[in-house]
Amino acid sequence: MKVYFDNNATTPLHPEVKKEMIAAMEMYGNPSSMHAYGREAKANVEDARQRVASFINADDQEIVFVGSGSEANNTVLSLFVCASAQCIPGTTARGTIITTKIEHPCVLETSECLMHRGVNVKFLDVDRYGRVDLDQLKDMLNDDIGLVSVMMANNEIGTMQDIASITKMVHECGAFMHTDAVQAVGKVPVDVRALGVDFLTMSAHKIYGPKGVGALYVKQGTPYCPLIRGGHQERGRRAGTENTLGILGLGKAVEMRALEMHDEHDRLLGLKDVLRKGIEEKIDDIHFNGHPTESLAGTLNVSFPGAEGESILLYLDLEGIAVSTGSACASGSLDPSHVLLATGVDAERAHGSIRISLGRESTMEHVQHMLNVLPGVIERIRNMSTAYIKGGTHAASR
């Protein structure tokens, strides 16, 4: 049996998305061209823009199509440099960005780059569940803060943040608010008006759409500076010929999410509960990571002391089960998860963690297969370990 439990990394194309994209392959006009071929492509791009905007309760002109969630996040953070340098008319220089220690690598690495360019970046702590310390945020907020960036749902442990409350605090100090909602959009209701954010990031391939396309919400009236220049596309906000097929795929993906998301949420929550209880019953000495209730319905992160996450992944792969040891964007690193470390998990336990992320194609049969296979995998790895002591400490570090 083949079981795909890595939906936080990427999702398979929805059949309706695939159908729409195949049908659109005959439409090869450049949306910037004025002839009939171009106008047809342009009309379809604008229809997709309306679908995306409607899905998050935004206006059409507030949606900028981009190449990925990472590009959108880079755009927002780099925009702040332009604002600090006062090359965006009407802005005042505020020298500090606040973000968290559990953001996606595209935010953390961009923040590090900005620090080398003289920007002051502060990092919020999180509690053992991965929730932002709001008291610490309150203490950090002052007249020098230009932007606060907090992800809505964590990609590794699934923990959700109270973005509306955070945004209210941020706006009270006169700063802008950005949320990376890549893991949240399409899984939980996202309303940009209710959240109050100035910027919001989303990506198609996390919601059964194609890879290579995403969208950035920019609240009307918010200062903006393009990351990619050289053309008038996207109302001058993102140069480069539009990825028409990808954009249409994203438009169809959000349309299908609107129809399926609510029922799927309840179904995945039920599957996760069965999976969690089964792991507890069948395997000793385990630790679940992330918030027990304020988390994504399809995300379960668990640590197995005495078993390396990479070994677990490979043994499960041999059984036809796909999981992850963390963010797919950091899979080439041998370092323990920065997210787990930020929640207070020690390095050894972090190394022994896997992420199981369910999706629309996940079934109870898949869950039961996982519960049949996983205990044997953990036992086999632990039996080979010279350091693991059941129910106790490790005799030696790896």
Side-chain angles (χ1 to χ4, degrees):
M1 177 185 293
K2 295 290 186 180
V3 177
Y4 184 73
F5 279 165
D6 199 17
N7 286 275
N8 281 15
T10 195
T11 54
L13 276 180
H14 192 292
E16 293 300 318
V17 173
K18 183 177 181 181
K19 186 187 302 183
E20 178 130 330
M21 292 180 68
I22 290 174
M25 285 181 177
E26 298 300 323
M27 183 181 59
Y28 54 84
N30 188 321
S32 296
S33 298
M34 297 180 65
H35 49 59
Y37 297 95
R39 293 197 303 272
E40 179 189 20
K42 181 69 171 179
N44 278 274
V45 166
E46 293 309 311
D47 178 68
R49 193 187 311 277
Q50 192 280 325
R51 295 186 195 185
V52 172
S54 177
F55 189 61
I56 61 172
N57 194 27
D59 291 332
D60 295 7
Q61 64 267 27
E62 295 175 315
I63 301 299
V64 182
F65 288 124
V66 294
S68 64
S70 293
E71 182 192 323
N73 288 340
N74 272 259
T75 298
V76 175
L77 294 175
S78 298
L79 178 154
F80 174 77
V81 178
C82 294
S84 296
Q86 295 182 296
C87 61
I88 301 179
T91 61
T92 57
R94 283 174 167 243
T96 302
I97 291 174
I98 296 176
T99 188
T100 81
K101 294 180 179 179
I102 64 167
E103 297 297 308
H104 188 275
C106 69
V107 170
L108 295 178
E109 291 185 20
T110 303
S111 296
E112 183 178 354
C113 176
L114 294 179
M115 291 169 69
H116 289 307
R117 296 166 65 184
V119 176
N120 186 27
V121 182
K122 296 182 177 181
F123 297 91
L124 284 164
D125 295 319
V126 295
D127 63 19
R128 65 192 181 103
Y129 298 122
R131 297 272 279 185
V132 167
D133 185 336
L134 296 183
D135 290 332
Q136 184 188 30
L137 174 60
K138 183 178 180 180
D139 291 340
M140 283 186 179
L141 292 172
N142 55 51
D143 292 341
D144 192 46
I145 306 300
L147 177 75
V148 176
S149 180
V150 177
M151 69 189 333
M152 189 170 182
N154 186 264
N155 51 304
E156 292 192 31
I157 59 177
T159 296
M160 303 280 294
Q161 306 292 344
D162 184 355
I163 297 299
S165 294
I166 293 172
T167 300
K168 185 174 184 295
M169 296 171 63
V170 171
H171 284 170
E172 285 174 352
C173 92
F176 294 109
M177 178 66 193
H178 165 248
T179 186
D180 174 355
V182 165
Q183 291 291 343
V185 171
K187 298 176 183 177
V188 296
V190 174
D191 183 328
V192 293
R193 304 301 177 207
L195 295 175
V197 295
D198 303 292
F199 306 97
L200 180 142
T201 298
M202 61 183 293
S203 181
H205 77 104
K206 307 294 188 180
I207 54 174
Y208 313 103
K211 299 172 181 64
V213 64
L216 173 63
Y217 161 77
V218 183
K219 186 178 181 179
Q220 192 167 2
T222 302
Y224 187 86
C225 192
L227 177 68
I228 300 177
R229 299 172 180 272
H232 61 275
Q233 294 88 354
E234 295 301 295
R235 298 179 175 89
R237 296 175 295 183
R238 199 272 191 180
T241 301
E242 295 90 341
N243 175 8
T244 307
L245 281 180
I247 290 170
L248 267 59
L250 172 55
K252 190 63 177 182
V254 298
E255 179 185 325
M256 299 313 299
R257 286 287 79 203
L259 296 173
E260 300 174 354
M261 179 178 69
H262 296 286
D263 289 343
E264 182 182 292
H265 176 276
D266 294 342
R267 187 179 68 83
L268 293 185
L269 192 58
L271 292 179
K272 184 170 80 168
D273 286 344
V274 171
L275 188 57
R276 182 184 182 112
K277 291 175 183 176
I279 292 174
E280 286 179 316
E281 292 171 359
K282 292 173 178 284
I283 306 174
D284 294 329
D285 196 9
I286 60 170
H287 305 275
F288 292 107
N289 304 304
H291 200 283
T293 56
E294 298 299 319
S295 63
L296 297 172
T299 302
L300 186 66
N301 190 298
V302 58
S303 297
F304 302 91
E308 291 286 346
E310 288 79 8
S311 297
I312 301 171
L313 184 154
L314 292 173
Y315 274 111
L316 288 176
D317 188 45
L318 291 174
E319 298 288 344
I321 301 173
V323 298
S324 171
T325 56
S327 169
C329 296
S331 61
S333 173
L334 295 177
D335 295 331
S337 162
H338 71 282
V339 174
L340 295 181
L341 294 180
T343 64
V345 173
D346 62 65
E348 192 163 8
R349 185 173 131 194
H351 270 304
S353 303
I354 62 169
R355 179 188 68 187
I356 304 166
S357 47
L358 313 176
R360 66 181 298 274
E361 296 185 358
S362 301
T363 67
M364 185 61 74
E365 185 180 11
H366 292 158
V367 169
Q368 293 299 340
H369 183 56
M370 178 69 154
L371 292 175
N372 289 335
V373 171
L374 184 61
V377 167
I378 301 302
E379 182 179 14
R380 182 177 182 182
I381 297 172
R382 284 175 172 173
N383 285 342
M384 290 188 294
S385 173
T386 59
Y388 177 68
I389 300 175
K390 182 178 179 180
T393 57
H394 295 257
S397 60
R398 291 185 181 82

